[in-house]
């Protein structure tokens, strides 16, 4: 098994209160990310898992991981929090064989 490195990423998550209850979650740094749920704690967990899955997909496709773009703030009908996730990276494979001097 190859060694792995770990890096933590933080993103601002917006929790928009829905009339009648629940939240719509958006993460501006992650294009077109939006989820709806009833409970705030569940919303936080969904956001954490979704961010991790999104970043894992980018890594598997060889794409770069986006940087945070939006500072946390409060506004009408929504609030924001910074949520962190740990991402595990396999160490790069070492080429063997035909490297010459």
């Amino acid at each position: 098994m190859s060694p792995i490195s770990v890096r933590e990423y933080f993103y601002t998550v917006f929790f928009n209160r829905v009339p009648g209850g629940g939240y719509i979650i958006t993460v501006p740094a992650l294009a077109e990310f939006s989820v709806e749920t009833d409970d705030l704690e569940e919303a936080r967990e969904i956001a954490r898992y979704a961010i991790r899955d999104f970043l894992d997909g980018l890594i598997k496709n060889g794409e770069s991981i986006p940087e945070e773009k939006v500072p946390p703030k409060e506004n009408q009908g929504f609030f924001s929090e910074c949520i962190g996730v740990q991402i595990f990276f396999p160490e790069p494979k070492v080429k063997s064989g035909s490297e010459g001097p």
Side-chain angles (χ1 to χ4, degrees):
M1 178 182 282
S2 59
I4 54 177
S5 61
V6 179
R7 181 159 179 211
E8 194 161 22
Y9 293 89
F10 294 90
Y11 292 100
T12 299
V13 177
F14 288 96
F15 299 89
N16 188 4
R17 293 180 186 98
V18 177
Y23 298 89
I24 295 176
I25 309 161
T26 57
V27 183
L30 308 180
E32 305 303 319
F33 176 92
S34 180
V35 176
E36 187 171 350
T37 185
D38 294 328
D39 179 74
L40 182 57
E41 285 306 313
E42 180 182 48
R44 287 181 177 117
E45 283 304 307
I46 288 171
R48 191 170 286 111
Y49 286 117
I51 291 167
R52 188 177 300 124
D53 287 346
F54 187 88
L55 297 181
D56 283 341
L58 291 175
I59 292 165
K60 287 177 184 172
N61 291 328
E63 299 176 47
S64 61
I65 295 178
E67 296 296 323
E68 174 65 88
K69 297 177 184 175
V70 180
K73 61 183 175 181
E74 299 260 350
N75 204 335
Q76 297 175 349
F78 70 87
F79 64 96
S80 63
E81 295 179 7
C82 189
I83 292 184
V85 296
Q86 288 186 336
I87 302 296
F88 298 88
F89 293 90
E91 291 296 324
K93 294 180 182 176
V94 178
K95 291 183 181 180
S96 63
S98 62
E99 281 100 327

